[in-house]
Amino acid sequence: MPAHGQGGGSSLLEWLLPALVLLGAAVSYLLLAQRARRRNPVRGWSRWRTTSFLTGAALLGAALLPPVAPFAHEDFRAHMVQHMLMGMYAPLALVLAAPVTLLLRTLPAARGRQLTAVLHSPPARVIAHPSVGLALSTGGLAVLYFTPLYGATTSGPAAHCLLHAHFVLSGCLFVHAVAGPDPAPSRPGVRARLVHLGVAIAAHAVISQMMYGGFWVDIHAPIPQVQAGAEIMYYGGDAAELLLAAALIATWRPEPRRSPTRDPATTTDRELTAPA
């Protein structure tokens, strides 16, 4: 995003680029959803997931475009609104749209197998673990606001772009690891994911409270703005994390109990092929 003091033409170009990218992503998703419905009219593709993706793109647009974007360079409160939209709300909507599943249903068989192999690779398993998403999304906040990093990100558009990319990608990783509908071979059980979500909620609250009290904060902004930003982070983060918890509960399916004394010889073919 453009730094404070840039010309209007440069600012217009910086805002036009993310608008075009978001528009392209939305159109691409709609075309893939249409292709999925044509390939399998009976199964189709969920309109709810399509709406979720468009909502996520709209939230990113609200964060990256006027009036929020230019105001964020002048006021820390607007920066925090940006952070909430890009790092928590937009990722939740985008991940719940199941874009990887949509790709797997529309790609040719050979490309689909390649994508599946990537998803099952050791690096992908590590990146998709909730601990990684937690460290990048929530742990990154402590690094951003308790070190000179925040001041460094306001020095120019390149640093701002990197910060925004970190917000979006780390948020998507954490949401995917906790409650994403897309394939995740290394995803732990529900209890472990709830623990990671609880740690994120507690850490988010501690960081925002320390920010409000001015403890070890390295943010060059008026105190009232910092305190108001901390309140936005506290209450806005709680709402987003409650939505994530609701998504986790909605996608949770208990494993069926198996009788230890059942004779394997009497097990039917249907039971052998039933999903776990």
Side-chain angles (χ1 to χ4, degrees):
M1 297 304 299
H4 176 55
Q6 285 184 316
S10 177
S11 297
L12 179 61
L13 181 62
E14 294 289 345
W15 296 327
L16 183 61
L17 179 60
L20 292 176
V21 171
L22 292 174
L23 180 61
V27 172
S28 299
Y29 190 96
L30 291 173
L31 292 176
L32 289 175
Q34 185 180 20
R35 183 183 300 177
R37 296 189 187 100
R38 288 179 177 176
R39 283 192 172 187
N40 193 335
V42 176
R43 191 176 185 183
W45 182 254
S46 170
R47 297 187 183 276
W48 183 90
R49 296 206 185 280
T50 301
T51 302
S52 181
F53 188 89
L54 296 179
T55 300
L59 291 173
L60 283 179
L64 294 171
L65 301 174
V68 174
F71 189 40
H73 297 288
E74 307 290 340
D75 197 305
F76 183 74
R77 294 167 294 186
H79 160 81
M80 192 56 68
V81 171
Q82 265 193 334
H83 164 218
M84 292 288 104
L85 291 174
M86 290 189 296
M88 303 191 79
Y89 289 95
L92 180 61
L94 294 173
V95 171
L96 292 182
V100 177
T101 300
L102 180 59
L103 273 177
L104 289 172
R105 289 184 53 184
T106 55
L107 285 174
R111 295 291 181 88
R113 286 192 292 269
Q114 291 175 355
L115 178 57
T116 301
V118 171
L119 295 175
H120 285 79
S121 65
R125 288 175 177 268
V126 172
I127 293 174
H129 195 275
S131 298
V132 176
L134 177 64
L136 291 175
S137 60
T138 306
L141 297 179
V143 177
L144 178 63
Y145 297 124
F146 297 147
T147 70
L149 181 60
Y150 174 74
T153 60
T154 62
S155 60
H160 257 91
C161 288
L162 290 175
L163 177 63
H164 292 169
H166 171 80
F167 280 155
V168 176
L169 294 178
S170 63
C172 287
L173 275 178
F174 186 62
V175 173
H176 167 71
V178 172
D182 283 325
S186 63
R187 181 178 291 152
V190 173
R191 292 181 181 178
R193 285 182 275 161
L194 283 174
V195 169
H196 283 85
L197 181 56
V199 172
I201 294 173
H204 217 124
V206 170
I207 292 172
S208 59
Q209 289 173 355
M210 292 178 65
M211 184 185 300
Y212 188 89
F215 297 104
W216 302 316
V217 176
D218 195 347
I219 300 173
H220 300 288
I223 293 178
Q225 289 187 17
V226 175
Q227 291 180 335
E231 291 179 339
I232 294 172
M233 180 179 177
Y234 184 86
Y235 294 108
D238 278 352
E241 285 152 350
L242 285 175
L243 290 174
L244 180 55
L248 173 58
I249 294 173
T251 57
W252 173 60
R253 297 293 183 272
E255 295 184 358
R257 294 183 178 180
R258 301 181 183 273
S259 174
T261 59
R262 183 74 177 271
D263 185 0
T266 63
T267 303
T268 64
D269 292 340
R270 183 178 179 182
E271 289 173 328
L272 287 173
T273 58

